[in-house]
Amino acid sequence: MFRLAILSIFMLFSTSHLYDFKVDAVDGGKIDFSKYKGKKVLIVNTASLCGNTPQYKGLEELYKKYHNKLVIVGFPANNFGSQEPGSNKEIQEFCTKQYAVTFPMAAKISVKGADIHPLYKWLIEESKAKHFEPTEVTWNFQKYLLDEKGNLVAVFSPKTQPESPEVIAAIEKQFLL
């Protein structure tokens, strides 16, 4: 009985899991990560006025190519150089008109600092626990890859292109975690 109580307390305070998160979508709806069980998930913090913004094209190509086994979720954030100043509506229009983005886009959030979004706080904690580099979000278009069970399996720097061999290899790899 005592062991069960301790286990219950531990589970109550243990770290969240990817599938526990539901976030606001840029279009006013919700993104429920539990719907992505069985698929890899690539989480990317984005910005419309960044030198890395053309990566939207590569992200969209990845999304179309691997749609059966990969979901990409963009998280607009204005944390670096004020490069995402627009409203959610403006961000959605930009992504649609400039890059024909069809992958899910979250509402604008913060990816660092005192107001960091809980999902990004969790991603950073997971990165540190698994000794991935970089451990903190360093700039726009940093990428986090999670396997089909919601485990963080790779972190890619902002300069790593979505269509790079290392990203493709990680998407195609069968993880045994």
Side-chain angles (χ1 to χ4, degrees):
M1 180 78 161
F2 178 74
R3 291 174 89 180
L4 184 59
I6 296 294
L7 181 60
S8 296
I9 291 169
F10 176 76
M11 290 175 65
L12 181 66
F13 293 106
S14 67
T15 306
S16 298
H17 190 275
L18 175 67
Y19 302 134
D20 296 333
F21 290 99
K22 293 178 183 157
V23 300
D24 292 332
V26 75
D27 64 5
K30 287 281 187 192
I31 298 171
D32 181 352
F33 282 91
S34 70
K35 292 182 179 180
Y36 303 141
K37 287 180 182 178
K39 289 189 173 193
K40 290 183 173 92
V41 178
L42 187 67
I43 295 174
V44 185
N45 62 300
T46 62
S48 300
L49 303 176
C50 179
N52 293 331
T53 301
Q55 288 189 31
Y56 272 124
K57 181 180 181 207
L59 290 167
E60 182 63 22
E61 289 171 3
L62 271 185
Y63 185 62
K64 287 180 179 175
K65 181 177 181 181
Y66 293 101
H67 69 277
N68 288 332
K69 63 179 178 178
L70 174 72
V71 174
I72 296 173
V73 182
F75 281 85
N78 198 35
N79 295 102
F80 302 102
S82 298
Q83 295 179 347
E84 189 59 275
S87 67
N88 286 327
K89 182 178 178 183
E90 291 168 330
I91 294 166
Q92 182 180 22
E93 288 174 3
F94 172 83
C95 291
T96 303
K97 289 179 183 175
Q98 297 297 316
Y99 293 99
V101 168
T102 61
F103 56 84
M105 290 289 295
K108 190 158 82 170
I109 63 160
S110 180
V111 297
K112 69 176 208 166
D115 59 344
I116 187 171
H117 189 278
L119 174 61
Y120 266 81
K121 185 174 182 180
W122 179 79
L123 288 168
I124 289 167
E125 289 170 1
E126 290 292 300
S127 297
K128 289 177 180 177
K130 295 181 179 187
H131 306 288
F132 288 133
E133 291 291 331
T135 55
E136 301 291 332
V137 182
T138 60
W139 199 254
N140 303 311
F141 289 87
Q142 187 158 312
K143 299 152 201 73
Y144 294 87
L145 182 65
L146 297 102
D147 70 7
E148 295 85 350
K149 295 181 181 179
N151 300 303
L152 182 65
V153 293
V155 179
F156 301 101
S157 77
K159 290 290 183 189
T160 303
Q161 298 297 310
E163 62 277 11
S164 72
E166 63 192 293
V167 172
I168 300 298
I171 291 169
E172 292 180 349
K173 182 176 181 179
Q174 297 297 314
F175 295 99
L176 304 172
L177 297 177

